[in-house]
């Protein structure tokens, strides 16, 4: 087993991980970024749509362009990026097991930043295991990264931003989206995305769900039904569609396995995807020296993930003595201001409340530990 010693080890080369790497490496820290994929960038290279928000968050710029710019900054920072590499174990002493190209490594870091992202939720229904039923994110990867059309006639389940955006991108790639099915009584995503779908002539069936998918060896059709106020299917409301693909955009779940292994304490916040790690304003968890950033802390979007990565990278560099407290305080204030902007307004209010709960629960945990130590 080969050994690697570094100042900062970052798990995940997505928007959060790369942002953290840039901040820590430009401060002078020795930084190692580890990712299981064959290319860095995470979700950014799947996002061909333009970002929203402010100029500070590159509104009007397409996601993959932001990814290219971020990669260039990280390359110039001096950080090392280790791809096709899987972290299979993490201990509270900040040592981890990594396998890369068939070789086992023992990585020991002074600080660890976990930016492992989130994974897609799934739905179980008759026919859900047939080839042709897939996550919307998988379909987006096939189209935007691998240039492969997953199907010709597609039904999308879920009208959040992911469902709406991926539906439109599938149409841009040449597929026919026969409809979008949403269990809730109203559309979940932004009106601007839903408007584009409706102008393209795609019906959105709110208050409906999948009853079954049918086919002999692959998806050949799908049956949906309306739901009553108790989320039960209403007999006689069934509709059938001839499709070869069903995409599921039914939420994301933070990939917290490594955070659990490190011994960190958790909150349960359903609207953030379930169990999420407690962390303070510096993104540091209940295990000193272990930080988190991005969707692993609670599912939001790429701009917030980048800012949380920035915060974790600055905090880690400060803790290691590469940035003065004064310089770090100035950088953190700027990052917090940008995060506050992202979490303002109608859609951001819920995310801000969730983050405030995490911070409050983290403070309560610290107070409890101090009280226990004093007894």
């Amino acid at each position: 087993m080969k050994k690697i010693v570094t100042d900062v080890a970052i798990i995940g080369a997505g928007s959060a991980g790369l942002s953290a790497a840039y901040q820590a490496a430009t401060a002078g820290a020795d930084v190692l970024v580890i990712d299981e994929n064959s290319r860095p960038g995470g979700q950014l290279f799947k996002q061909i749509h333009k970002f929203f928000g402010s100029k500070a968050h590159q509104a009007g710029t397409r996601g993959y362009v932001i990814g290219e710019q971020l990669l260039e900054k990280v390359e110039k920072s001096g950080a090392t990026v280790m791809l096709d590499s899987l972290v299979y174990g993490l201990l509270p002493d900040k040592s981890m097991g990594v396998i890369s190209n068939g070789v086992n490594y023992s990585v020991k870091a002074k600080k660890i930043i976990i930016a492992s992202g989130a994974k897609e939720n799934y739905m179980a229904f008759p026919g859900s295991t047939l080839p042709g039923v897939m996550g919307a994110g998988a379909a987006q990867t096939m189209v935007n990264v691998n240039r492969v059309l997953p199907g010709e006639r597609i039904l999308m389940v879920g009208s959040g931003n992911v469902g709406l955006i991926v539906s439109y991108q599938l149409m841009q790639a040449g597929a026919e989206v026969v409809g979008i099915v949403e269990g809730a009584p109203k559309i979940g995503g932004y009106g601007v995305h839903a408007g584009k779908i409706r102008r393209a002539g795609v019906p959105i069936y709110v208050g409906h769900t999948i009853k079954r998918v049918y086919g002999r060896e692959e998806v050949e059709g799908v049956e949906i039904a309306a739901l009553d106020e108790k989320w039960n299917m209403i007999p006689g409301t069934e509709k059938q569609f001839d499709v070869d693909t069903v995409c599921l955009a039914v939420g994301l779940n933070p990939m917290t396995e490594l955070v659990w292994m490190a011994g960190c304490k958790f909150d349960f916040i359903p609207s953030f995807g379930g169990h999420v790690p407690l962390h303070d304003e510096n993104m540091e968890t209940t295990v000193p020296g272990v930080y988190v950033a991005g969707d692993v802390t609670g599912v939001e979007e790429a701009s917030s993930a980048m800012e949380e990565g920035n915060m974790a990278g600055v905090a880690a560099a400060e803790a290691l003595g590469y940035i003065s407290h004064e310089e770090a305080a100035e950088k953190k204030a700027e990052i917090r201001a940008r995060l506050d902007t992202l979490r303002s307004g109608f859609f951001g209010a819920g995310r801000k409340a969730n983050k405030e709960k995490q911070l409050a629960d983290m403070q309560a945990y610290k107070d409890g530990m101090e009280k226990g130590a004093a007894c």
Side-chain angles (χ1 to χ4, degrees):
M1 178 178 286
K2 295 185 177 181
K3 294 185 178 181
I4 298 175
V5 178
T6 187
D7 287 333
V8 181
I10 299 172
I11 303 170
S15 51
L18 291 177
S19 297
Y22 171 74
Q23 293 292 347
T26 52
D30 182 25
V31 177
L32 174 65
V33 185
I34 306 167
D35 195 283
E36 64 181 345
N37 295 300
S38 59
R39 64 180 294 184
Q43 302 300 310
L44 288 171
F45 286 96
K46 295 162 58 172
Q47 298 175 347
I48 62 173
H49 56 280
K50 295 179 180 179
F51 272 36
F52 293 111
S54 64
K55 184 178 179 181
H57 295 105
Q58 297 177 283
T61 305
R62 299 189 185 277
Y64 72 89
V65 175
I66 297 173
E68 290 171 348
Q69 294 170 349
L70 186 54
L71 278 180
E72 184 178 355
K73 289 169 60 178
V74 172
E75 288 171 358
K76 291 180 179 178
S77 73
T80 300
V81 181
M82 192 175 179
L83 300 174
D84 291 313
S85 303
L86 178 69
V87 179
Y88 60 82
L90 175 59
L91 298 174
D93 68 353
K94 292 173 283 299
S95 62
M96 64 183 77
V98 180
I99 186 165
S100 179
N101 296 318
V103 179
N104 276 294
Y105 292 85
S106 173
V107 178
K108 179 71 173 179
K110 296 175 183 175
K111 305 292 179 183
I112 288 179
I113 300 173
I114 303 174
S116 48
K119 57 184 178 291
E120 293 187 281
N121 291 332
Y122 203 74
M123 279 181 66
F125 47 80
S128 62
T129 59
L130 279 172
V133 179
M134 67 182 69
Q140 190 182 36
T141 300
M142 292 177 70
V143 171
N144 295 345
V145 177
N146 300 318
R147 303 295 190 264
V148 175
L149 197 63
E152 295 182 356
R153 287 177 55 83
I154 300 173
L155 180 81
M156 179 67 67
V157 181
S159 70
N161 286 327
V162 172
L164 297 172
I165 289 171
V166 175
S167 292
Y168 193 76
Q169 291 174 357
L170 287 167
M171 288 190 288
Q172 288 179 305
E176 179 185 358
V177 178
V178 303
I180 298 177
V181 176
E182 171 58 57
K186 62 180 181 179
I187 295 168
Y190 294 162
V192 64
H193 297 314
K196 289 166 67 176
I197 291 294
R198 282 176 161 159
R199 288 193 296 272
V202 177
I204 301 177
Y205 299 93
V206 296
H208 283 71
T209 191
I210 284 188
K211 184 174 183 179
R212 66 185 179 106
V213 170
Y214 53 89
R216 296 187 63 182
E217 296 183 355
E218 60 188 23
V219 174
E220 297 176 8
V222 61
E223 185 175 28
I224 69 172
L227 297 169
D228 62 21
E229 66 278 2
K230 295 183 178 179
W231 295 77
N232 297 312
M233 294 186 199
I234 303 173
T237 63
E238 293 84 0
K239 299 180 180 67
Q240 292 188 350
F241 302 90
D242 293 328
V243 298
D244 55 23
T245 307
V246 173
C247 292
L248 306 177
V250 290
L252 300 170
N253 182 258
M255 295 183 66
T256 56
E257 292 85 353
L258 291 172
V259 190
W260 285 106
M261 292 178 73
C264 303
K265 301 297 182 182
F266 278 73
D267 251 349
F268 183 72
I269 304 177
S271 57
F272 256 9
H275 287 96
V276 289
L278 288 174
H279 63 80
D280 61 17
E281 287 193 338
N282 292 324
M283 308 308 298
E284 189 171 20
T285 67
T286 55
V287 176
V290 176
Y291 302 77
V292 286
D295 281 350
V296 72
T297 76
V299 177
E300 294 190 77
E301 34 70 44
S303 295
S304 296
M306 285 187 279
E307 295 296 5
E308 287 191 344
N310 286 331
M311 182 67 77
V314 169
E318 177 191 17
L320 290 169
Y322 288 104
I323 304 178
S324 68
H325 297 311
E326 293 75 18
E327 182 182 359
E330 184 177 343
K331 286 178 177 287
K332 290 176 187 178
E334 293 172 355
I335 295 168
R336 288 192 191 99
R338 294 195 297 267
L339 276 170
D340 285 342
T341 299
L342 288 169
R343 292 167 181 160
S344 62
F346 178 77
F347 287 100
R351 298 197 298 270
K352 184 176 181 179
N354 287 335
K355 282 297 174 183
E356 288 174 347
K357 181 182 187 305
Q358 279 180 300
L359 294 174
D361 288 349
M362 178 66 172
Q363 187 59 52
Y365 171 82
K366 286 183 176 179
D367 291 345
M369 293 295 289
E370 291 175 0
K371 184 177 180 181
C375 292

